[in-house]
Every structure is written in structure tokens, then in C-alpha cells.
Amino acid sequence: MTGSSIWHPFTQHGLEEPIPLVERAEGAALYTIDGRRIIDAISSWWVTTHGHCHPRIMAAIRAQAEKLDQLIFAGWTHEPAEEVAAGLRAIMPPSLTRVFFSDSGSTAVEVALKMALGFFANRGEERRRIVVMEHSYHGDTIGAMSVGARGVFNAAYAPLLFDVGRVSFPGLDPQATLDALEAECAAGAAVFIVEPLVLGAGGMLMYPPAVLAEMREICAAHGTLFIADEVMTGWGRTGTLLACEQAGVVPDILCLSKGLTGGAVPLAVTMASEAIWRAHYSHDRTKTFFHSSSYTANPIACAAAAANLAIWREEPVLGRVASLGARLEGRLSRLAGHPATSNYRRCGAIAALELGSAEGTYLNQIGPRLLARFREANLLLRPLGNTVYVMPPYCIDDSDLDTIYAAISDAADWVTTGA
Ligand SMILES: *Cc1c(COP(=O)(O)O)cnc(C)c1O
């Protein structure tokens, strides 16, 4: 809309792309002010799990808003936060005994890194090196950027970023990844942070559970802390509540956000093992975990998360994910043989493929043209370069999936013929 003074995230306003104005949402659909129904094929950037404006979550927000809006969380507590912590303890791995709240995936990662370094510092150990995986994305704050892939997104901010060790993505040569990790851990790396099974913003790159399990074992053998960033992969996206489960892996520190409130309002948690908590537990105030933000564990956000946890307890969410995975596979795998596509892959309710030439950089010219085509087809699909992926809310129906399939199929034809 012209006349707006809003500076949008990850948006090049100079290209004068239209900015649709959305008025309301329900299930897998967004409704614009000019009366269009848009299928949300990427869960509004990977957050919406059950569907937009889920009645149980909306009711919880409404009820909480009548009672307690906000509370300092340093030294104070409230029922919704206690309920979320207890609910997480009941469904997350038992060894993750402590729950630290924050407000986004990026801050959950910052907290995880600080906990890991605080663990060694408080024990008087000189371990500081952080190891990451190539092509990873962990958020856009300074620490989260530092542990993520370097490139066009952060080149200008390089002076702000700290150095980390990097292991390769375990694509064609997983042994090289494992060997590099082994060398880093043997040399005393403090912590390894990784996105389990699927590297999201890096291009929906997928690797097998067995590699994740081996990486975890290598870290454990050397006392290197293992952080699982499940900000995107958590809450069923990969077919299990956590992606780590598929590898039988339990991390030392777990980052959750996006689907924590069902995708309704911002909230994040970093869960930590008892050993990490113990390293900070002391009569000595210098060993305090020094981190907070104003809205830590906001009661309204926690009420939404508590409602999400109740949905997970009481409804067959993983059955819905399995059904969605199968229905995605039934459609999108048909494009695997199309001459314009390559590398079709799927993990749970995430399906991805590359369109056109293999120059898979984010600034690939095909990306904006695909985006425009999908927008014209009333679809929210936002390719990562020439990687087209589908990650819908779990409630999406067959007819919407057919529309998504048809649009991607048309795009593949367009790439082939240039028409
Ligand atoms: C989205 C994402 C983040 C950052 O979360 P924000 O809420 O956008 O700060 C971190 N890690 C992963 C794996 C993500 O996908």
C-alpha cells in the first residue's frame, strides 16, 4: 500500500513489490482486505502449526488478557508460565529439566550459547570455542548471526560477528562432517549448535537421523555441549514432536519457539539439562545466569503456549502431520521426474525441490519471479532462491494442496518453456 512508512523485514522496497494487506486468517487461509483468499503454504514463515486463529488458543489468549497482562519475571512468577514449564517437562526429554523463557527463536539461541559458555566459565574451565554447521540459520541477532551461515545477508555486519568453527553440511560426504566435528571436539570445543535433520533457511537441506545420532555421540564423548536448535523443526514439523527423536538424540540444550504458541504470539524457551543449571546454581551472585528481556514469559503468550500444549496432549496432532506428509508426498513427488526440477525431498510435513538451474543462491533471479507467480495464484509460497518448499499448517485440506501442487507444476513448466 502506498503511503505506508513501514520498513518491512527481508524486503527490498526498491523493487516496489506489492505488499498485500491481510485482514484476517482462519485455518490455512489468509484473507486480504481486497477480498482475496490466500493459501498459507509456508505457515506464515514456519510458525503456524495447527492453523490460524485456532479456537482453543484464541480463547486462552482472550481469557488471560482479562486477568494478567504482563509481569516482571526476575524473581516473580505466574500461573501460565508454571503451566507451560510443567507441560514442557511432561512431553520433552526428561533430562531437560530446566525451562528458560525468552521471546523469539533468535533469543532462544542467544540464551543457549550464553548458558553453554556460562557452564564452562562457572566451572572454571577454559572452553570457549563454538562449532556450527555450514548453511545453518539460527536467527538474526548478533550471536545468532555469528553461528549461522555467512553470506549476502550479513556481509555488511561482519565486524559485529565472532569467529566459530565450521563443519560441512553432511550431504554427499557425511564422514567428512563427522571427522571435522571429531577434530573440533577432540581439540576442546565448548559447544556444537545444529538444526536437527532439516536446515531451514539454508534451503530446506535434509540429512539422515543416523548422522545426527553420530554427531551427538561425538560431542558426548568429548564433553562438548550439544545444542539442538529446533525452532523450526520442533512441534511436529518433521513428523515427530522433535526432530531429535528420530535419531534417538537428547541434546544438552534445546531451543524452541515458532510453534510453541501454535504460531499465534511470540514466545520462546531454552531448555537445559540439570548439569547446566547446576553450574549456575550457587550462593555466589557472579554465577547468576545474566540474561533477561522485558517481556520474558509474558503471561498472554504463555497462556497461548499452555493451550498449544493442551492441544498436543489431547488431540492427535502427529496423526495429522503424518496424513499431511503423505498427502504432500502424493502430490509433490510427482514433480520429481519433471525436467525443470531436481532434488525433490521431504521430511514430515516439509517438502522441497529445486526449480531450474542449480545455482541455488538466495539471490537467484528466478526467486522473485516465482514469488510473483505464486502471489498471482493467491498462494503464500516464498522460495529460498530457486528452492521451492511447502510447509503448510497441519489443518490444510486436499483442495488447497491441489492448488499448491498445480501452481508449482505450472511454475516448473514455465521454467522449462520460458513461457
Ligand atoms: C526462524 C529460526 C530462528 C530464529 O527465530 P526468530 O523467532 O525468527 O528469531 C532460529 N533458528 C531456526 C532454526 C529458525 O528456523
Side-chain angles (χ1 to χ4, degrees):
M1 297 281 128
T2 49
S4 173
S5 50
I6 295 171
W7 190 340
H8 288 265
F10 268 74
T11 301
Q12 179 42 272
H13 288 274
L15 296 175
E16 288 167 19
E17 290 288 313
I19 307 235
L21 206 162
V22 172
E23 192 178 30
R24 63 189 183 87
E26 190 185 342
L30 309 171
Y31 297 88
T32 62
I33 198 127
D34 55 2
R36 285 182 300 143
R37 178 184 185 275
I38 315 273
I39 301 169
D40 186 353
I42 61 162
S43 298
S44 281
W45 246 355
W46 322 347
V47 299
T48 309
T49 48
H50 315 295
H52 284 278
C53 290
H54 191 285
R56 291 183 75 170
I57 298 173
M58 296 304 109
I61 290 173
R62 229 176 277 124
Q64 184 58 38
E66 301 280 331
K67 279 202 282 195
L68 175 66
D69 55 348
Q70 162 67 3
L71 177 72
I72 178 174
F73 209 60
W76 293 73
T77 193
H78 52 77
E79 265 176 47
E82 296 298 336
E83 200 181 329
V84 173
L88 287 169
R89 288 280 285 117
I91 62 168
M92 293 295 164
S95 65
L96 298 172
T97 50
R98 302 290 161 173
V99 180
F100 191 94
F101 286 94
S102 62
D103 30 41
S104 72
S106 303
T107 52
V109 166
E110 302 277 351
V111 164
L113 295 171
K114 284 172 73 171
M115 280 179 177
L117 294 187
F119 170 83
F120 291 110
N122 285 352
R123 288 157 45 115
E125 287 181 53
E126 281 289 322
R127 288 176 81 157
R128 312 198 150 156
R129 188 164 166 86
I130 298 171
V131 180
V132 311
M133 183 181 282
E134 233 177 34
H135 303 304
S136 295
Y137 177 80
H138 297 291
D140 274 344
T141 53
I142 305 300
M145 266 195 293
S146 295
V147 295
R150 302 290 166 93
V152 65
F153 310 103
N154 46 41
Y157 326 125
L160 297 172
L161 307 182
F162 52 78
D163 277 333
V164 295
R166 284 175 203 277
V167 302
S168 56
F169 173 76
L172 295 177
D173 188 1
Q175 196 56 46
T177 306
L178 298 173
D179 290 347
L181 185 61
E182 171 71 34
E184 285 282 6
C185 293
V191 56
F192 175 56
I193 179 167
V194 72
E195 295 168 81
L197 302 190
V198 186
L199 273 57
M204 298 299 154
L205 304 174
M206 301 178 187
Y207 64 92
V211 178
L212 180 64
E214 286 200 54
M215 293 192 300
R216 207 293 169 242
E217 268 179 42
I218 290 169
C219 289
H222 296 283
T224 300
L225 294 176
F226 187 96
I227 302 176
D229 176 355
E230 295 240 20
V231 169
M232 187 278 279
T233 51
W235 304 107
R237 229 28 115 165
T238 68
T240 41
L241 174 63
L242 297 179
C244 277
E245 280 171 46
Q246 294 177 42
V249 157
V250 176
D252 297 298
I253 305 179
L254 170 68
C255 303
L256 295 171
S257 185
K258 293 193 169 121
L260 171 58
T261 60
V265 284
L267 188 70
V269 295
T270 306
M271 294 186 72
S273 69
E274 195 67 6
I276 289 162
W277 157 269
R278 276 274 142 209
H280 291 85
Y281 187 90
S282 170
H283 293 297
D284 177 355
R285 285 161 78 188
T286 66
K287 294 191 171 176
T288 302
F289 185 56
F290 293 109
H291 190 94
S292 176
S293 62
S294 307
Y295 290 104
T296 300
N298 171 265
I300 297 171
C302 285
N308 172 51
L309 283 159
I311 291 169
W312 273 90
R313 277 193 303 272
E314 294 158 24
E315 298 183 22
V317 182
L318 288 178
R320 288 176 199 148
V321 175
S323 151
L324 172 54
R327 291 181 296 130
L328 276 174
E329 183 75 16
R331 289 167 177 81
L332 293 172
S333 68
R334 282 189 257 152
L335 291 170
H338 193 289
T341 75
S342 56
N343 197 18
Y344 167 76
R345 56 206 180 272
R346 182 180 66 87
C347 182
I350 308 167
L353 50 76
E354 270 76 58
L355 271 187
S357 86
E359 276 167 47
T361 69
Y362 183 82
L363 298 185
N364 190 303
Q365 280 311 311
I366 205 175
R369 298 172 67 190
L370 287 172
L371 189 66
R373 282 184 76 87
F374 294 140
R375 200 192 301 106
E376 278 156 30
N378 286 337
L379 277 182
L380 171 50
L381 261 180
R382 197 184 149 96
L384 294 155
N386 68 328
T387 301
V388 176
Y389 69 91
V390 184
M391 194 196 294
Y394 307 154
C395 65
I396 192 165
D397 67 17
D398 283 339
S399 131
D400 283 348
L401 287 177
D402 287 340
T403 306
I404 294 169
Y405 167 77
I408 298 175
S409 176
D410 280 355
D413 292 344
W414 165 73
V415 168
T416 316
T417 61

PDB file of all heavy atoms in Angstrom, residues 277-289:
ATOM      1  N   TRP A 277      22.155 -26.230  34.638  1.00  0.00           N
ATOM      2  CA  TRP A 277      21.523 -25.491  35.748  1.00  0.00           C
ATOM      3  C   TRP A 277      22.434 -25.497  36.974  1.00  0.00           C
ATOM      4  O   TRP A 277      22.691 -24.460  37.589  1.00  0.00           O
ATOM      5  CB  TRP A 277      20.170 -26.145  36.038  1.00  0.00           C
ATOM      6  CG  TRP A 277      19.606 -25.926  37.402  1.00  0.00           C
ATOM      7  CD1 TRP A 277      19.781 -26.709  38.508  1.00  0.00           C
ATOM      8  CD2 TRP A 277      18.752 -24.859  37.819  1.00  0.00           C
ATOM      9  NE1 TRP A 277      19.092 -26.201  39.573  1.00  0.00           N
ATOM     10  CE2 TRP A 277      18.446 -25.065  39.182  1.00  0.00           C
ATOM     11  CE3 TRP A 277      18.212 -23.746  37.161  1.00  0.00           C
ATOM     12  CZ2 TRP A 277      17.628 -24.208  39.912  1.00  0.00           C
ATOM     13  CZ3 TRP A 277      17.390 -22.890  37.902  1.00  0.00           C
ATOM     14  CH2 TRP A 277      17.111 -23.119  39.242  1.00  0.00           C
ATOM     15  N   ARG A 278      22.966 -26.681  37.311  1.00  0.00           N
ATOM     16  CA  ARG A 278      23.831 -26.837  38.488  1.00  0.00           C
ATOM     17  C   ARG A 278      25.045 -25.913  38.413  1.00  0.00           C
ATOM     18  O   ARG A 278      25.484 -25.368  39.421  1.00  0.00           O
ATOM     19  CB  ARG A 278      24.340 -28.287  38.579  1.00  0.00           C
ATOM     20  CG  ARG A 278      23.371 -29.215  39.241  1.00  0.00           C
ATOM     21  CD  ARG A 278      23.543 -29.202  40.764  1.00  0.00           C
ATOM     22  NE  ARG A 278      22.225 -29.292  41.393  1.00  0.00           N
ATOM     23  CZ  ARG A 278      21.930 -28.768  42.587  1.00  0.00           C
ATOM     24  NH1 ARG A 278      22.833 -28.122  43.275  1.00  0.00           N
ATOM     25  NH2 ARG A 278      20.717 -28.890  43.077  1.00  0.00           N
ATOM     26  N   ALA A 279      25.602 -25.753  37.229  1.00  0.00           N
ATOM     27  CA  ALA A 279      26.800 -24.920  37.072  1.00  0.00           C
ATOM     28  C   ALA A 279      26.497 -23.452  37.376  1.00  0.00           C
ATOM     29  O   ALA A 279      27.403 -22.669  37.661  1.00  0.00           O
ATOM     30  CB  ALA A 279      27.365 -25.068  35.666  1.00  0.00           C
ATOM     31  N   HIS A 280      25.211 -23.079  37.303  1.00  0.00           N
ATOM     32  CA  HIS A 280      24.819 -21.693  37.579  1.00  0.00           C
ATOM     33  C   HIS A 280      24.229 -21.524  38.978  1.00  0.00           C
ATOM     34  O   HIS A 280      23.987 -20.409  39.422  1.00  0.00           O
ATOM     35  CB  HIS A 280      23.795 -21.201  36.544  1.00  0.00           C
ATOM     36  CG  HIS A 280      24.366 -21.038  35.165  1.00  0.00           C
ATOM     37  ND1 HIS A 280      24.458 -22.075  34.269  1.00  0.00           N
ATOM     38  CD2 HIS A 280      24.881 -19.961  34.530  1.00  0.00           C
ATOM     39  CE1 HIS A 280      24.994 -21.637  33.140  1.00  0.00           C
ATOM     40  NE2 HIS A 280      25.264 -20.360  33.270  1.00  0.00           N
ATOM     41  N   TYR A 281      23.950 -22.630  39.663  1.00  0.00           N
ATOM     42  CA  TYR A 281      23.281 -22.612  40.957  1.00  0.00           C
ATOM     43  C   TYR A 281      24.328 -22.449  42.042  1.00  0.00           C
ATOM     44  O   TYR A 281      25.224 -23.283  42.166  1.00  0.00           O
ATOM     45  CB  TYR A 281      22.518 -23.930  41.132  1.00  0.00           C
ATOM     46  CG  TYR A 281      21.647 -24.000  42.348  1.00  0.00           C
ATOM     47  CD1 TYR A 281      20.321 -23.593  42.280  1.00  0.00           C
ATOM     48  CD2 TYR A 281      22.135 -24.477  43.559  1.00  0.00           C
ATOM     49  CE1 TYR A 281      19.504 -23.663  43.387  1.00  0.00           C
ATOM     50  CE2 TYR A 281      21.324 -24.552  44.676  1.00  0.00           C
ATOM     51  CZ  TYR A 281      20.006 -24.144  44.582  1.00  0.00           C
ATOM     52  OH  TYR A 281      19.200 -24.208  45.691  1.00  0.00           O
ATOM     53  N   SER A 282      24.209 -21.366  42.818  1.00  0.00           N
ATOM     54  CA  SER A 282      25.305 -21.050  43.734  1.00  0.00           C
ATOM     55  C   SER A 282      24.863 -20.000  44.751  1.00  0.00           C
ATOM     56  O   SER A 282      23.846 -19.332  44.564  1.00  0.00           O
ATOM     57  CB  SER A 282      26.469 -20.498  42.903  1.00  0.00           C
ATOM     58  OG  SER A 282      27.470 -19.967  43.724  1.00  0.00           O
ATOM     59  N   HIS A 283      25.605 -19.843  45.835  1.00  0.00           N
ATOM     60  CA  HIS A 283      25.415 -18.682  46.714  1.00  0.00           C
ATOM     61  C   HIS A 283      26.161 -17.473  46.172  1.00  0.00           C
ATOM     62  O   HIS A 283      26.058 -16.378  46.702  1.00  0.00           O
ATOM     63  CB  HIS A 283      25.897 -19.004  48.135  1.00  0.00           C
ATOM     64  CG  HIS A 283      25.066 -20.043  48.824  1.00  0.00           C
ATOM     65  ND1 HIS A 283      23.734 -19.849  49.102  1.00  0.00           N
ATOM     66  CD2 HIS A 283      25.356 -21.299  49.241  1.00  0.00           C
ATOM     67  CE1 HIS A 283      23.241 -20.931  49.676  1.00  0.00           C
ATOM     68  NE2 HIS A 283      24.205 -21.837  49.765  1.00  0.00           N
ATOM     69  N   ASP A 284      26.949 -17.717  45.138  1.00  0.00           N
ATOM     70  CA  ASP A 284      27.812 -16.686  44.562  1.00  0.00           C
ATOM     71  C   ASP A 284      27.050 -15.983  43.431  1.00  0.00           C
ATOM     72  O   ASP A 284      26.722 -16.589  42.418  1.00  0.00           O
ATOM     73  CB  ASP A 284      29.077 -17.381  44.037  1.00  0.00           C
ATOM     74  CG  ASP A 284      30.015 -16.418  43.339  1.00  0.00           C
ATOM     75  OD1 ASP A 284      29.660 -15.232  43.176  1.00  0.00           O
ATOM     76  OD2 ASP A 284      31.102 -16.884  42.952  1.00  0.00           O
ATOM     77  N   ARG A 285      26.779 -14.681  43.648  1.00  0.00           N
ATOM     78  CA  ARG A 285      25.950 -13.984  42.658  1.00  0.00           C
ATOM     79  C   ARG A 285      26.650 -13.788  41.327  1.00  0.00           C
ATOM     80  O   ARG A 285      25.997 -13.548  40.310  1.00  0.00           O
ATOM     81  CB  ARG A 285      25.445 -12.659  43.223  1.00  0.00           C
ATOM     82  CG  ARG A 285      24.323 -12.922  44.229  1.00  0.00           C
ATOM     83  CD  ARG A 285      24.083 -11.756  45.139  1.00  0.00           C
ATOM     84  NE  ARG A 285      23.320 -10.709  44.477  1.00  0.00           N
ATOM     85  CZ  ARG A 285      23.118  -9.509  45.014  1.00  0.00           C
ATOM     86  NH1 ARG A 285      23.636  -9.227  46.184  1.00  0.00           N
ATOM     87  NH2 ARG A 285      22.415  -8.609  44.378  1.00  0.00           N
ATOM     88  N   THR A 286      27.960 -13.910  41.279  1.00  0.00           N
ATOM     89  CA  THR A 286      28.646 -13.769  39.987  1.00  0.00           C
ATOM     90  C   THR A 286      28.326 -14.956  39.069  1.00  0.00           C
ATOM     91  O   THR A 286      28.564 -14.897  37.875  1.00  0.00           O
ATOM     92  CB  THR A 286      30.186 -13.694  40.148  1.00  0.00           C
ATOM     93  OG1 THR A 286      30.673 -14.943  40.655  1.00  0.00           O
ATOM     94  CG2 THR A 286      30.599 -12.566  41.077  1.00  0.00           C
ATOM     95  N   LYS A 287      27.782 -16.027  39.643  1.00  0.00           N
ATOM     96  CA  LYS A 287      27.459 -17.209  38.815  1.00  0.00           C
ATOM     97  C   LYS A 287      26.010 -17.204  38.321  1.00  0.00           C
ATOM     98  O   LYS A 287      25.535 -18.173  37.750  1.00  0.00           O
ATOM     99  CB  LYS A 287      27.762 -18.486  39.592  1.00  0.00           C
ATOM    100  CG  LYS A 287      29.263 -18.624  39.837  1.00  0.00           C
ATOM    101  CD  LYS A 287      29.647 -19.971  40.357  1.00  0.00           C
ATOM    102  CE  LYS A 287      31.177 -20.087  40.366  1.00  0.00           C
ATOM    103  NZ  LYS A 287      31.632 -21.342  40.946  1.00  0.00           N
ATOM    104  N   THR A 288      25.314 -16.110  38.564  1.00  0.00           N
ATOM    105  CA  THR A 288      23.931 -15.956  38.083  1.00  0.00           C
ATOM    106  C   THR A 288      23.898 -16.082  36.564  1.00  0.00           C
ATOM    107  O   THR A 288      24.859 -15.724  35.887  1.00  0.00           O
ATOM    108  CB  THR A 288      23.436 -14.541  38.483  1.00  0.00           C
ATOM    109  OG1 THR A 288      23.541 -14.419  39.894  1.00  0.00           O
ATOM    110  CG2 THR A 288      22.004 -14.286  38.034  1.00  0.00           C
ATOM    111  N   PHE A 289      22.799 -16.572  36.022  1.00  0.00           N
ATOM    112  CA  PHE A 289      22.637 -16.525  34.573  1.00  0.00           C
ATOM    113  C   PHE A 289      22.130 -15.125  34.207  1.00  0.00           C
ATOM    114  O   PHE A 289      20.969 -14.783  34.458  1.00  0.00           O
ATOM    115  CB  PHE A 289      21.664 -17.599  34.079  1.00  0.00           C
ATOM    116  CG  PHE A 289      21.578 -17.628  32.573  1.00  0.00           C
ATOM    117  CD1 PHE A 289      22.729 -17.809  31.804  1.00  0.00           C
ATOM    118  CD2 PHE A 289      20.371 -17.446  31.921  1.00  0.00           C
ATOM    119  CE1 PHE A 289      22.671 -17.806  30.420  1.00  0.00           C
ATOM    120  CE2 PHE A 289      20.304 -17.439  30.530  1.00  0.00           C
ATOM    121  CZ  PHE A 289      21.460 -17.616  29.789  1.00  0.00           C
TER     122      PHE A 289
END
